[in-house]
Structure formats: C-alpha cells, structure tokens
Coordinates of all heavy atoms in Angstrom, one line a residue:
M21 N -100.9 46.4 67.1 CA -100.5 45.4 67.9 C -101.5 44.2 67.7 O -101.1 43.2 67.3 CB -100.7 46.0 69.4 CG -100.3 44.9 70.4 SD -100.3 45.7 72.1 CE -98.9 46.8 71.8
A22 N -102.7 44.4 68.0 CA -103.8 43.5 67.7 C -103.5 42.0 67.7 O -103.7 41.3 66.7 CB -104.6 43.9 66.4
R23 N -103.0 41.4 68.9 CA -102.7 40.1 69.0 C -103.9 39.4 69.6 O -104.3 39.9 70.6 CB -101.5 39.9 69.6 CG -101.1 38.4 69.9 CD -99.6 38.2 69.9 NE -99.3 36.8 70.3 CZ -99.2 35.8 69.6 NH1 -99.4 35.9 68.3 NH2 -98.9 34.7 70.0
T24 N -104.3 38.2 69.2 CA -105.4 37.5 69.7 C -104.9 36.2 70.6 O -104.1 35.6 70.1 CB -106.4 37.1 68.7 OG1 -106.8 38.3 67.9 CG2 -107.6 36.4 69.2
Y25 N -105.6 36.1 71.7 CA -105.3 34.9 72.6 C -106.7 34.2 72.9 O -107.7 34.8 72.8 CB -104.8 35.5 74.0 CG -103.5 36.2 73.8 CD1 -103.4 37.6 73.5 CD2 -102.2 35.6 73.9 CE1 -102.3 38.2 73.4 CE2 -101.1 36.3 73.8 CZ -101.1 37.6 73.5 OH -99.9 38.3 73.3
E26 N -106.5 33.0 73.2 CA -107.7 32.1 73.5 C -107.6 31.8 75.0 O -106.6 31.1 75.5 CB -107.6 30.9 72.6 CG -108.8 29.9 72.8 CD -108.7 28.6 72.0 OE1 -107.7 28.1 71.7 OE2 -109.8 28.3 71.5
Y27 N -108.6 32.3 75.7 CA -108.7 32.1 77.1 C -109.9 31.0 77.4 O -111.0 31.1 76.8 CB -109.1 33.4 77.8 CG -109.3 33.3 79.3 CD1 -108.1 33.2 80.1 CD2 -110.5 33.3 79.9 CE1 -108.2 33.1 81.5 CE2 -110.6 33.2 81.3 CZ -109.5 33.1 82.1 OH -109.6 33.1 83.5
W28 N -109.6 30.0 78.2 CA -110.5 29.0 78.6 C -111.1 29.2 80.0 O -110.4 29.5 80.9 CB -109.9 27.6 78.5 CG -109.7 27.2 77.1 CD1 -108.5 27.4 76.3 CD2 -110.6 26.5 76.2 NE1 -108.7 26.9 75.0 CE2 -110.0 26.3 74.9 CE3 -111.9 26.1 76.5 CZ2 -110.5 25.7 73.8 CZ3 -112.5 25.5 75.4 CH2 -111.8 25.2 74.1
T29 N -112.4 29.1 80.1 CA -113.1 29.2 81.3 C -114.3 28.4 81.3 O -114.5 27.5 80.4 CB -113.6 30.7 81.6 OG1 -114.0 30.9 82.9 CG2 -114.7 31.2 80.5
V30 N -115.2 28.3 82.4 CA -116.2 27.6 82.5 C -117.5 28.3 82.6 O -117.6 29.3 83.2 CB -116.2 26.6 83.9 CG1 -117.4 25.8 84.0 CG2 -114.9 25.8 83.7
K31 N -118.6 27.9 81.7 CA -119.8 28.5 81.6 C -120.8 27.5 81.8 O -120.9 26.5 80.9 CB -120.0 29.3 80.3 CG -121.4 29.9 80.1 CD -121.5 30.7 78.9 CE -122.9 31.2 78.7 NZ -123.1 31.8 77.4
D32 N -121.7 27.5 82.8 CA -122.8 26.4 83.0 C -122.2 25.0 82.9 O -122.8 24.1 82.4 CB -123.8 26.6 81.9 CG -124.6 27.9 81.9 OD1 -124.7 28.5 83.0 OD2 -124.9 28.4 80.9
G33 N -121.1 24.8 83.6 CA -120.4 23.5 83.8 C -119.7 23.1 82.5 O -119.2 22.0 82.5
E34 N -119.7 23.9 81.4 CA -119.0 23.5 80.2 C -117.9 24.4 80.0 O -117.8 25.6 80.3 CB -120.0 23.7 79.1 CG -121.2 22.8 79.1 CD -120.9 21.4 78.8 OE1 -120.0 21.1 78.0 OE2 -121.6 20.4 79.4
D35 N -116.7 23.8 79.4 CA -115.6 24.6 79.0 C -115.9 25.4 77.8 O -116.5 24.9 76.9 CB -114.4 23.7 78.6 CG -113.8 22.9 80.0 OD1 -114.0 23.5 81.1 OD2 -113.1 22.0 79.8
V36 N -115.6 26.7 77.9 CA -115.8 27.7 76.8 C -114.5 28.4 76.5 O -113.8 28.6 77.5 CB -117.0 28.6 76.9 CG1 -118.3 27.8 77.0 CG2 -116.8 29.4 78.1
S37 N -114.2 28.7 75.3 CA -113.1 29.6 74.9 C -113.6 31.0 74.6 O -114.7 31.1 74.0 CB -112.2 29.0 73.8 OG -112.9 29.2 72.6
I38 N -112.8 31.9 75.0 CA -113.0 33.3 74.7 C -111.9 33.9 74.0 O -110.7 33.7 74.5 CB -113.3 34.1 76.0 CG1 -114.5 33.6 76.8 CG2 -113.5 35.6 75.7 CD1 -114.7 34.2 78.1
N39 N -112.0 34.4 72.8 CA -111.0 35.0 72.1 C -110.8 36.5 72.4 O -111.8 37.2 72.3 CB -111.3 34.9 70.5 CG -111.1 33.3 70.1 OD1 -110.2 32.8 70.3 ND2 -112.0 32.9 69.5
L40 N -109.6 36.8 72.9 CA -109.3 38.1 73.4 C -108.4 38.8 72.5 O -107.2 38.2 72.3 CB -108.8 38.1 74.8 CG -109.6 37.4 75.8 CD1 -108.9 37.2 77.1 CD2 -110.9 38.2 76.1
T41 N -108.7 40.0 71.9 CA -107.7 40.8 71.1 C -107.2 41.9 72.0 O -107.9 42.8 72.5 CB -108.4 41.3 69.8 OG1 -108.9 40.0 69.2 CG2 -107.4 42.0 68.9
V42 N -105.9 42.0 72.0 CA -105.2 43.1 72.7 C -105.2 44.4 71.8 O -104.7 44.3 70.7 CB -103.7 42.7 73.0 CG1 -103.1 44.0 73.7 CG2 -103.7 41.6 74.1
V43 N -105.8 45.4 72.3 CA -106.0 46.6 71.4 C -104.9 47.5 71.8 O -104.3 48.2 71.0 CB -107.4 47.3 71.7 CG1 -107.5 48.6 71.0 CG2 -108.5 46.3 71.3
Y44 N -104.6 47.6 73.1 CA -103.5 48.5 73.6 C -102.9 48.0 74.8 O -103.6 47.2 75.7 CB -104.2 49.9 74.1 CG -103.2 50.8 74.7 CD1 -102.3 51.6 73.9 CD2 -103.2 50.9 76.1 CE1 -101.5 52.4 74.5 CE2 -102.3 51.7 76.7 CZ -101.4 52.5 75.9 OH -100.5 53.4 76.5
F45 N -101.6 48.0 74.9 CA -100.8 47.5 76.0 C -99.7 48.5 76.3 O -98.9 48.8 75.4 CB -100.3 46.2 75.7 CG -99.5 45.5 76.8 CD1 -100.3 44.9 77.9 CD2 -98.1 45.4 76.8 CE1 -99.5 44.3 78.9 CE2 -97.4 44.8 77.9 CZ -98.2 44.3 78.9
S46 N -99.4 48.8 77.6 CA -98.4 49.7 78.0 C -98.0 49.1 79.4 O -98.7 48.9 80.3 CB -98.8 51.0 78.2 OG -97.8 51.8 78.8
Q47 N -96.7 48.8 79.5 CA -96.1 48.4 80.8 C -94.8 48.9 81.1 O -94.0 49.1 80.2 CB -96.0 46.8 80.7 CG -95.6 46.2 82.0 CD -95.5 44.7 81.9 OE1 -95.4 44.1 80.9 NE2 -96.0 43.9 83.1
S48 N -94.6 49.2 82.3 CA -93.2 49.7 82.7 C -92.9 49.0 84.1 O -93.7 48.8 85.0 CB -93.1 51.2 82.8 OG -93.8 51.6 84.0
K49 N -91.6 48.8 84.3 CA -91.1 48.2 85.6 C -90.8 49.4 86.5 O -90.3 50.4 86.1 CB -89.9 47.4 85.3 CG -90.2 46.1 84.6 CD -89.0 45.2 84.6 CE -89.2 44.0 83.7 NZ -89.8 42.9 84.2
G50 N -91.0 49.2 87.8 CA -90.6 50.2 88.7 C -89.2 50.1 89.1 O -88.5 49.2 88.8
N51 N -88.7 51.2 89.7 CA -87.3 51.2 90.1 C -87.1 51.0 91.6 O -86.0 50.9 92.1 CB -86.6 52.5 89.7 CG -87.2 53.7 90.3 OD1 -87.9 53.7 91.3 ND2 -86.9 54.9 89.8
F52 N -88.2 51.0 92.3 CA -88.3 50.5 93.7 C -87.3 51.4 94.6 O -86.7 50.9 95.5 CB -87.9 49.0 94.0 CG -88.8 48.1 93.2 CD1 -88.3 47.4 92.1 CD2 -90.1 47.9 93.6 CE1 -89.2 46.6 91.4 CE2 -91.0 47.0 92.9 CZ -90.5 46.4 91.7
S53 N -87.3 52.6 94.2 CA -86.4 53.6 94.9 C -87.2 54.4 95.9 O -88.3 54.8 95.5 CB -85.7 54.6 93.9 OG -85.2 55.7 94.6
S54 N -86.7 54.7 97.0 CA -87.4 55.5 98.0 C -87.5 57.0 97.5 O -88.2 57.8 98.0 CB -86.6 55.4 99.3 OG -85.3 55.9 99.2
Q55 N -86.7 57.3 96.5 CA -86.7 58.7 95.9 C -87.7 58.8 94.8 O -87.9 59.9 94.3 CB -85.4 58.9 95.4 CG -84.2 58.9 96.4 CD -84.4 59.8 97.6 OE1 -84.7 61.0 97.4 NE2 -84.1 59.2 98.7
A56 N -88.5 57.7 94.5 CA -89.5 57.7 93.5 C -90.5 58.8 93.7 O -91.1 59.0 94.9 CB -90.2 56.4 93.4
A57 N -90.8 59.6 92.7 CA -91.8 60.7 92.9 C -93.3 60.3 92.9 O -94.1 60.9 93.6 CB -91.6 61.6 91.7
D58 N -93.6 59.1 92.3 CA -95.0 58.7 92.4 C -95.0 57.2 92.4 O -94.1 56.5 92.1 CB -95.9 59.3 91.1 CG -95.3 58.8 89.8 OD1 -95.0 57.6 89.7 OD2 -95.1 59.8 89.0
P59 N -96.2 56.6 92.8 CA -96.3 55.1 92.8 C -96.0 54.4 91.5 O -95.4 53.4 91.6 CB -97.8 54.8 93.1 CG -98.2 56.2 93.8 CD -97.5 57.2 93.1
D60 N -96.4 55.0 90.4 CA -96.1 54.3 89.0 C -94.6 54.2 88.9 O -93.9 53.2 88.3 CB -96.6 55.1 87.9 CG -98.0 54.9 87.7 OD1 -98.7 53.9 88.4 OD2 -98.6 55.5 86.9
E61 N -93.8 55.3 89.3 CA -92.3 55.2 89.2 C -91.8 54.1 90.1 O -90.8 53.5 89.8 CB -91.7 56.6 89.5 CG -90.3 56.6 89.3 CD -89.7 58.0 89.6 OE1 -90.5 59.1 89.6 OE2 -88.4 58.1 89.8
Y62 N -92.3 54.0 91.3 CA -91.9 53.0 92.4 C -92.3 51.5 91.9 O -91.5 50.7 91.8 CB -92.4 53.3 93.7 CG -91.8 52.4 94.7 CD1 -90.6 52.6 95.3 CD2 -92.6 51.3 95.1 CE1 -90.1 51.8 96.3 CE2 -92.1 50.4 96.2 CZ -90.9 50.6 96.7 OH -90.4 49.8 97.6
F63 N -93.6 51.3 91.7 CA -94.1 50.1 91.3 C -94.2 49.7 90.0 O -94.2 48.5 89.6 CB -95.5 49.8 92.0 CG -95.6 50.0 93.4 CD1 -96.2 51.0 94.0 CD2 -95.1 48.9 94.1 CE1 -96.3 51.0 95.4 CE2 -95.2 49.0 95.6 CZ -95.8 50.0 96.2
G64 N -94.0 50.7 89.0 CA -94.3 50.4 87.6 C -95.8 50.5 87.4 O -96.5 50.7 88.2
H65 N -96.1 50.3 86.1 CA -97.5 50.4 85.9 C -97.9 49.4 84.6 O -96.9 49.0 83.9 CB -98.1 51.8 85.5 CG -97.8 52.1 84.0 ND1 -96.6 52.5 83.5 CD2 -98.6 52.0 82.9 CE1 -96.6 52.6 82.2 NE2 -97.9 52.4 81.8
C66 N -99.1 49.0 84.5 CA -99.6 48.2 83.4 C -100.9 48.6 83.0 O -101.8 48.7 84.0 CB -99.4 46.6 83.8 SG -100.0 45.5 82.6
E67 N -101.0 48.8 81.7 CA -102.4 49.0 81.2 C -102.7 48.2 80.0 O -101.8 48.1 79.2 CB -102.5 50.6 80.9 CG -103.7 51.0 80.5 CD -103.8 52.5 80.0 OE1 -102.8 53.2 80.3 OE2 -104.9 52.9 79.3
I68 N -103.9 47.6 80.1 CA -104.2 46.8 78.8 C -105.6 47.0 78.5 O -106.5 47.1 79.4 CB -103.9 45.2 79.1 CG1 -104.0 44.4 77.9 CG2 -104.9 44.7 80.3 CD1 -103.5 43.0 78.0
N69 N -105.9 47.2 77.3 CA -107.2 47.3 76.7 C -107.4 46.2 75.8 O -106.6 45.8 74.9 CB -107.4 48.6 76.1 CG -107.4 49.8 77.0 OD1 -107.7 49.7 78.1 ND2 -107.1 50.8 76.4
W70 N -108.6 45.5 75.9 CA -108.8 44.3 75.1 C -110.3 44.3 74.6 O -111.0 45.1 75.2 CB -108.6 43.0 75.8 CG -109.4 42.8 77.1 CD1 -109.0 43.3 78.3 CD2 -110.7 42.4 77.3 NE1 -109.9 43.1 79.4 CE2 -111.0 42.5 78.7 CE3 -111.6 41.7 76.4 CZ2 -112.2 42.1 79.2 CZ3 -112.8 41.3 76.9 CH2 -113.1 41.4 78.4
E71 N -110.6 43.5 73.5 CA -111.9 43.4 73.1 C -112.1 41.9 72.7 O -111.2 41.2 72.5 CB -112.2 44.3 72.0 CG -111.4 44.1 70.7 CD -111.5 45.1 69.6 OE1 -112.1 46.1 69.8 OE2 -111.2 44.7 68.5
S72 N -113.4 41.5 72.6 CA -113.8 40.2 72.3 C -115.2 40.2 71.7 O -116.0 40.9 72.2 CB -113.8 39.3 73.7 OG -114.2 38.0 73.3
K73 N -115.3 39.5 70.7 CA -116.6 39.2 70.1 C -117.4 38.1 70.9 O -118.6 38.0 70.6 CB -116.5 38.9 68.6 CG -115.9 40.0 67.9 CD -115.7 39.7 66.4 CE -115.2 41.0 65.7 NZ -114.6 40.7 64.4
D74 N -116.7 37.4 71.7 CA -117.3 36.4 72.5 C -118.1 36.9 73.7 O -117.6 38.0 74.2 CB -116.3 35.3 72.9 CG -115.7 34.6 71.8 OD1 -116.5 34.4 70.7 OD2 -114.5 34.3 71.8
D75 N -119.1 36.3 74.3 CA -119.9 36.8 75.3 C -119.1 36.6 76.7 O -118.6 35.5 77.0 CB -121.2 35.9 75.4 CG -122.0 36.3 76.6 OD1 -121.9 37.5 77.1 OD2 -122.8 35.5 77.1
T76 N -118.9 37.7 77.4 CA -118.2 37.6 78.7 C -119.3 38.1 79.8 O -118.9 38.2 81.0 CB -116.9 38.5 78.7 OG1 -117.3 39.8 78.5 CG2 -115.9 38.0 77.7
S77 N -120.5 38.3 79.5 CA -121.5 38.8 80.4 C -121.8 37.8 81.6 O -122.2 38.3 82.6 CB -122.7 39.1 79.7 OG -123.3 38.0 79.2
F78 N -121.5 36.5 81.4 CA -121.7 35.5 82.5 C -120.6 35.6 83.4 O -120.7 35.0 84.5 CB -121.9 34.2 81.9 CG -120.6 33.7 81.2 CD1 -119.6 32.9 82.0 CD2 -120.2 34.0 79.9 CE1 -118.5 32.4 81.3 CE2 -119.1 33.5 79.3 CZ -118.1 32.8 80.0
M79 N -119.4 36.2 83.2 CA -118.3 36.3 84.1 C -118.5 37.3 85.2 O -119.0 38.4 85.0 CB -117.0 36.5 83.3 CG -116.7 35.5 82.3 SD -115.3 35.9 81.3 CE -114.0 35.5 82.4
T80 N -118.0 37.0 86.4 CA -118.1 37.9 87.5 C -116.9 39.0 87.4 O -116.0 38.6 86.6 CB -117.9 37.2 88.9 OG1 -116.6 36.6 89.0 CG2 -119.1 36.2 89.1
E81 N -116.8 40.0 88.2 CA -115.8 40.9 88.2 C -114.5 40.2 88.5 O -113.5 40.5 87.9 CB -116.1 42.1 89.1 CG -117.0 43.1 88.5 CD -117.3 44.3 89.5 OE1 -116.2 44.7 90.2 OE2 -118.4 44.8 89.6
S82 N -114.5 39.3 89.5 CA -113.4 38.6 89.9 C -112.8 37.6 88.7 O -111.7 37.6 88.5 CB -113.7 37.6 91.1 OG -112.7 36.8 91.5
E83 N -113.7 37.0 88.0 CA -113.3 36.3 86.9 C -112.7 37.1 85.8 O -111.8 36.7 85.1 CB -114.4 35.4 86.4 CG -114.9 34.4 87.4 CD -116.2 33.7 87.0 OE1 -117.2 34.3 86.4 OE2 -116.4 32.5 87.2
I84 N -113.3 38.2 85.6 CA -112.7 39.2 84.5 C -111.4 39.6 85.0 O -110.5 39.7 84.1 CB -113.7 40.4 84.2 CG1 -115.1 39.9 83.7 CG2 -113.1 41.4 83.5 CD1 -115.0 39.7 82.2
A85 N -111.2 40.0 86.2 CA -109.9 40.4 86.7 C -108.9 39.3 86.5 O -107.7 39.6 86.1 CB -110.0 40.8 88.2
S86 N -109.2 38.1 86.9 CA -108.4 36.9 86.6 C -107.9 36.8 85.2 O -106.8 36.5 84.8 CB -108.9 35.6 87.2 OG -109.1 35.7 88.6
M87 N -109.0 36.9 84.3 CA -108.8 36.8 82.8 C -107.7 37.9 82.4 O -106.8 37.7 81.7 CB -110.1 36.9 82.1 CG -109.9 36.8 80.6 SD -111.5 36.8 79.8 CE -111.9 38.6 80.1
E88 N -107.9 39.2 82.9 CA -107.1 40.2 82.5 C -105.7 40.0 83.1 O -104.7 40.3 82.3 CB -107.6 41.5 83.0 CG -108.8 42.0 82.2 CD -109.3 43.3 82.7 OE1 -108.9 43.8 83.8 OE2 -110.2 43.9 82.0
E89 N -105.5 39.4 84.3 CA -104.2 39.1 84.8 C -103.4 38.0 83.9 O -102.3 38.2 83.5 CB -104.3 38.7 86.2 CG -102.9 38.4 86.9 CD -103.1 37.9 88.3 OE1 -104.1 38.2 88.9 OE2 -102.2 37.3 88.8
W90 N -104.2 37.1 83.5 CA -103.8 36.1 82.6 C -103.4 36.6 81.3 O -102.2 36.3 80.8 CB -104.7 34.9 82.4 CG -104.3 33.9 81.3 CD1 -103.6 32.8 81.7 CD2 -104.7 34.0 80.0 NE1 -103.5 32.2 80.4 CE2 -104.1 32.8 79.5 CE3 -105.4 34.9 79.2 CZ2 -104.2 32.6 78.0 CZ3 -105.5 34.6 77.8 CH2 -105.0 33.4 77.2
L91 N -104.1 37.5 80.8 CA -103.9 38.1 79.5 C -102.6 39.1 79.5 O -101.8 39.0 78.6 CB -105.0 39.0 79.0 CG -104.9 39.7 77.7 CD1 -104.7 38.6 76.6 CD2 -106.3 40.5 77.4
V92 N -102.5 39.7 80.6 CA -101.2 40.6 80.8 C -99.9 39.7 80.8 O -99.0 40.0 80.1 CB -101.3 41.5 82.1 CG1 -100.0 42.0 82.5 CG2 -102.4 42.6 81.9
N93 N -100.0 38.6 81.6 CA -98.9 37.7 81.6 C -98.6 37.1 80.2 O -97.4 37.0 79.8 CB -99.1 36.6 82.7 CG -99.1 37.1 84.0 OD1 -98.4 38.1 84.3 ND2 -99.8 36.4 84.9
E94 N -99.6 36.6 79.6 CA -99.3 36.1 78.2 C -98.8 37.1 77.3 O -97.9 36.7 76.4 CB -100.7 35.5 77.7 CG -101.2 34.3 78.4 CD -100.3 33.1 78.2 OE1 -99.9 32.8 77.0 OE2 -100.0 32.4 79.1
H95 N -99.5 38.2 77.2 CA -98.9 39.3 76.3 C -97.5 39.8 76.7 O -96.7 40.0 75.8 CB -99.9 40.4 76.2 CG -99.7 41.3 75.0 ND1 -99.8 40.8 73.7 CD2 -99.4 42.5 74.9 CE1 -99.7 41.8 72.9 NE2 -99.3 42.9 73.5
S96 N -97.2 39.9 77.9 CA -95.9 40.3 78.3 C -94.8 39.1 77.8 O -93.8 39.6 77.3 CB -95.8 40.4 79.8 OG -96.6 41.4 80.3
E97 N -95.1 37.9 78.0 CA -94.3 36.9 77.6 C -94.0 37.0 76.1 O -93.0 36.8 75.6 CB -94.8 35.5 78.0 CG -94.6 35.1 79.4 CD -95.1 33.8 79.8 OE1 -95.0 32.9 78.8 OE2 -95.5 33.6 80.9
Y98 N -95.1 37.3 75.2 CA -95.1 37.3 73.9 C -94.0 38.4 73.4 O -93.3 38.3 72.6 CB -96.5 37.5 73.3 CG -96.5 38.0 71.8 CD1 -96.2 37.1 70.8 CD2 -96.6 39.3 71.5 CE1 -96.1 37.6 69.5 CE2 -96.7 39.8 70.2 CZ -96.4 38.9 69.2 OH -96.3 39.3 67.9
L99 N -94.3 39.7 74.2 CA -93.5 40.8 73.8 C -92.0 40.5 74.2 O -91.1 41.0 73.5 CB -94.0 42.1 74.5 CG -95.4 42.5 74.0 CD1 -95.8 43.8 74.9 CD2 -95.3 42.9 72.7
A100 N -91.7 39.8 75.3 CA -90.4 39.5 75.6 C -89.7 38.6 74.6 O -88.5 38.7 74.3 CB -90.3 39.0 77.1
D101 N -90.5 37.6 74.2 CA -90.1 36.7 73.2 C -89.6 37.5 71.9 O -88.7 37.2 71.2 CB -91.1 35.6 72.8 CG -91.1 34.5 73.9 OD1 -90.3 34.4 74.8 OD2 -92.1 33.7 73.9
Q102 N -90.6 38.4 71.5 CA -90.3 39.2 70.2 C -89.1 40.0 70.4 O -88.3 40.1 69.4 CB -91.6 40.0 69.9 CG -92.8 39.4 69.6 CD -92.5 38.4 68.4 OE1 -92.1 38.9 67.3 NE2 -92.9 37.1 68.5
A103 N -88.8 40.6 71.5 CA -87.7 41.4 71.8 C -86.5 40.6 71.7 O -85.4 40.9 71.2 CB -87.8 42.2 73.1
Y104 N -86.6 39.3 72.3 CA -85.3 38.5 72.3 C -85.0 38.1 70.8 O -83.8 37.9 70.5 CB -85.7 37.3 73.1 CG -84.6 36.2 73.2 CD1 -83.5 36.3 73.9 CD2 -84.6 35.0 72.3 CE1 -82.4 35.4 73.8 CE2 -83.6 34.1 72.3 CZ -82.5 34.3 73.1 OH -81.6 33.4 73.1
Y105 N -86.0 37.7 70.0 CA -85.7 37.2 68.7 C -85.4 38.4 67.7 O -84.9 38.2 66.5 CB -86.8 36.2 68.2 CG -86.8 35.1 69.0 CD1 -87.9 34.7 69.7 CD2 -85.7 34.1 68.7 CE1 -87.9 33.5 70.4 CE2 -85.8 32.9 69.5 CZ -86.8 32.6 70.4 OH -86.8 31.5 71.0
D106 N -85.8 39.6 68.0 CA -85.5 40.8 67.1 C -84.0 41.2 67.0 O -83.3 41.0 67.8 CB -86.3 42.0 67.4 CG -87.8 41.7 67.0 OD1 -88.1 40.8 66.3 OD2 -88.7 42.6 67.4

C-alpha cells in the first residue's frame, strides 16, 4: 500500500509539512441495523497505521488525532478513486 501524503501544520509559528506514509489501512461501513451483533458491525470500523520520518513530537494528542482523521479521509478518497477507475 505505502502511499505518502503531505500534511501541513504549524510549528513555532511557521508552516511545516509532515510526510505521512500509510503502512496499513482497513475500513468497513456499518449496516446500522438494530440486529448488529457488535459495535463494529453497527458503526463500521477504521484502522490506520502510518509512519513518518519527520518530527511529530511537538504535536499534541489532539493535533495528532486531527492529523490522523485528515489522513483517513485523504486515503479513503484515494482508494475510492482507484476503485472507480479500475
């Protein structure tokens, strides 16, 4: 999979880019049925593992969570585009 994305954030008042490589991605949509056996079946699930050679130690947990949410959205759109054009 190993697709790389460029995420922009602010460090010490300066714009910095962080290159994120998706190592693993898994996503399923829920069926929103009251008969669903577990929360993953109802809500679906999303799991993403990423790595970066860039420094992210200056980011707060909240900023990392926002970055991961952005990455999930970007990668989901990429996969949807690939499925459409295949």
